Amino acid sequence: MSTTTGQVIRCKAAVAWEAGKPLVIEEVEVAPPQKMEVRIKILFTSLCHTDVYFWEAKGQNPVFPRILGHEAGGVVESVGEGVTDLQPGDHVLPVFTGECKECAHCKSEESNMCDLLRINTDRGVMLHDQKSRFSINGKPIFHFVGTSTFSEYTVVHVGCLAKINPLAPLDKVCVLSCGISTGLGATLNVAKPKKGSSVAVFGLGAVGLAAAEGARISGASRIIGVDLNANRFELAKKFGVTEFVNPKDYKKPVQEVIAEMTNGGVDRSVECTGHIDAMISAFECVHDGWGVAVLVGVPHKDAVFKTNPMNLLNERTLKGTFFGNYKPRSDIPSVVEKYMNKELEVEKFITHEVPFSEINKAFDLMLKGEGLRCIIRMDA
Ligand code: NAD
Ligand code: ZN
């Protein structure tokens, strides 16, 4: 047992005090884990666009002060009452959506939408007692999607932790705790393109390029990347993207451009932008009769999806997914093994690294559309 077990830990965390204002590194108190909770030491975290949306709080409900962050890797420090399958020293990836292993969703092969632990972006407290485990001089600081990884220590429900191979380098596999698994799973588990098929990917950030990687692994012969940022195109070649479309280069809607390129539409599309217009285009660009579109991007809270119902009647399918339909505890350890066996490359998604003290730089890079994933080292 470590000396900190059962004690409050004082450590550094990057606190978002207000929407859109730079995070401030503060000394926070992290309470011990309660029933079915685990306290973990975060070693590496990275920034996903979802953190930026909730920090900007333009299209999402504002919850402040808050500790953001959900893509990370860490080591268990101590466990709360009732936790039997994790112990201090285990290597874990926290995940924004959980797996209780008992509800109808967890028992279904088709769903990862756990009744107890599914993503809830408005909740800023722990389920057990509706309280926060973080405070500064007694004043609570809210959690984010049950993970709050922009802190040296955080408390997470055991159902939101994937126990992984301790030999896996956490500075690399931390990106599997959200973005890369999300994109990869959206293609492999949900879109399921056939060998030789065509796939359009909207949004060539880390999530979209992981979706493209999934299409390449599936043997798709045409992978059409769609992005408004022309700088993405060069990078995307490394991920098997074979053709590019920048909607800004055309007067007509991008779905018409894609339909012309593909003799009526692509077999599959995966949307990874979070923008409603791209979601509609991603649906309308699939071929009638068999096309399947998968939505991944997190929409503005008031967004409304509009399309003529004939587009559906003509036998197009619209789907959506969180976390690529992976069950965090059951499936993520094997995604990490794919990396260990060299079936999956994660290095090419990691374009930047900053010390924790410079976490705001990671936000600047994402806002400028530069690079894919920026690793934030907690010990620096
Ligand atoms: P990112 O910012 O790195 O990449 C998004 C890309 O989309 C950018 O290159 C941007 O130029 C492009 N884009 C924006 N609007 C566009 C449009 N209208 N048409 C074409 N391209 C457009 O972000 P990311 O970290 O890769 O995340 C992508 C999306 O996935 C975000 O919405 C994020 O919130 C979401 N996400 C969802 C899940 C899930 O489980 N469903 C998990 C992680 C992330
Ligand atoms: Zn994410």
Side-chain angles (χ1 to χ4, degrees):
M1 227 198 286
S2 82
T3 53
T4 46
T5 304
Q7 310 288 318
V8 168
I9 291 181
R10 298 179 76 86
C11 69
K12 283 193 216 128
V15 178
W17 288 101
E18 276 178 73
K21 295 274 164 64
L23 307 187
V24 184
I25 306 279
E26 306 275 7
E27 190 171 86
V28 298
E29 293 114 39
V30 186
Q34 301 299 306
K35 195 172 175 189
M36 299 311 275
E37 294 172 0
V38 179
R39 189 162 56 183
I40 62 177
K41 183 177 194 330
I42 299 291
L43 298 180
F44 301 94
T45 183
S46 49
L47 185 66
C48 165
H49 213 129
T50 311
D51 298 304
V52 178
Y53 294 145
F54 285 85
W55 167 74
E56 289 179 320
K58 286 182 189 154
Q60 311 297 346
N61 290 328
V63 179
F64 295 99
R66 198 172 211 188
I67 297 174
L68 296 162
H70 64 279
E71 204 171 271
V75 177
V76 173
E77 175 268 340
S78 63
V79 302
E81 187 195 326
V83 175
T84 52
D85 53 0
L86 283 176
Q87 53 185 34
D90 283 343
H91 287 209
V92 288
L93 301 184
V95 181
F96 64 84
T97 192
E99 180 184 359
C100 75
K101 295 199 174 178
E102 281 163 21
C103 72
H105 289 272
C106 287
K107 287 188 173 146
S108 155
E109 267 179 35
E110 292 173 316
S111 172
N112 68 345
M113 297 299 296
C114 173
D115 272 336
L116 183 69
L117 299 167
R118 74 170 61 174
I119 182 170
N120 181 335
T121 54
D122 292 335
R123 191 178 61 228
V125 292
M126 297 304 286
L127 277 176
H128 173 62
D129 55 4
Q130 304 296 313
K131 287 191 180 137
S132 172
R133 302 285 171 263
F134 297 110
S135 58
I136 297 182
N137 299 325
K139 184 183 184 305
I141 309 291
F142 293 115
H143 293 249
F144 176 61
V145 293
T147 53
S148 293
T149 60
F150 297 161
S151 175
E152 290 175 316
Y153 286 87
T154 187
V155 177
V156 178
H157 192 284
V158 65
C160 298
L161 288 170
K163 179 177 166 178
I164 61 158
N165 183 342
L167 299 176
L170 287 171
D171 60 337
K172 304 289 186 304
V173 297
C174 61
V175 296
L176 296 173
S177 95
C178 175
I180 311 311
S181 300
T182 293
L184 189 73
T187 305
L188 297 181
N189 302 334
V190 189
K192 299 183 182 164
K194 296 196 175 96
K195 206 167 182 287
S197 62
S198 57
V199 179
V201 177
F202 284 69
L204 303 175
V207 178
L209 291 174
E213 186 79 351
R216 190 187 56 77
I217 294 170
S218 306
S221 56
R222 293 182 73 182
I223 305 175
I224 303 172
V226 184
D227 204 299
L228 300 170
N229 175 356
N231 294 335
R232 290 284 190 217
F233 295 164
E234 205 38 51
L235 192 68
K237 285 184 194 159
K238 281 197 220 161
F239 296 82
V241 173
T242 56
E243 291 151 84
F244 303 106
V245 177
N246 187 339
K248 283 189 196 158
D249 295 343
Y250 299 88
K251 286 212 173 71
K252 54 185 147 191
V254 65
Q255 50 272 49
E256 285 179 29
V257 176
I258 293 175
E260 281 169 19
M261 287 166 72
T262 54
N263 202 14
V266 280
D267 301 313
R268 299 289 185 266
S269 76
V270 187
E271 179 282 329
C272 308
T273 73
H275 290 271
I276 190 67
D277 47 349
M279 296 183 190
I280 295 167
S281 302
F283 171 60
E284 293 183 354
C285 80
V286 299
H287 207 287
D288 57 1
W290 61 77
V292 179
V294 179
L295 306 187
V296 176
V298 174
H300 186 290
K301 67 175 170 33
D302 303 320
V304 177
F305 188 98
K306 263 174 88 173
T307 192
N308 188 305
M310 277 311 286
N311 291 325
L312 286 148
L313 267 58
N314 289 342
E315 300 175 4
R316 292 183 183 86
T317 303
L318 178 62
K319 293 184 167 193
T321 174
F322 273 115
F323 200 48
N325 266 45
Y326 286 119
K327 292 183 193 282
R329 294 160 95 182
S330 307
D331 299 336
I332 291 308
S334 61
V335 179
V336 169
E337 289 315 308
K338 271 193 208 294
Y339 166 74
M340 297 301 278
N341 301 335
K342 301 196 166 33
E343 284 168 63
L344 175 68
E345 240 186 87
V346 302
E347 284 84 354
K348 61 187 178 186
F349 291 96
I350 300 171
T351 51
H352 296 82
E353 188 183 296
V354 294
F356 189 37
S357 57
E358 293 174 23
I359 187 169
N360 289 301
K361 275 195 189 162
F363 281 72
D364 293 342
L365 288 165
M366 182 152 278
L367 290 170
K368 284 193 208 139
E370 278 177 32
L372 296 172
R373 280 298 189 257
C374 178
I375 303 290
I376 300 155
R377 295 185 75 91
M378 302 307 283
D379 64 354

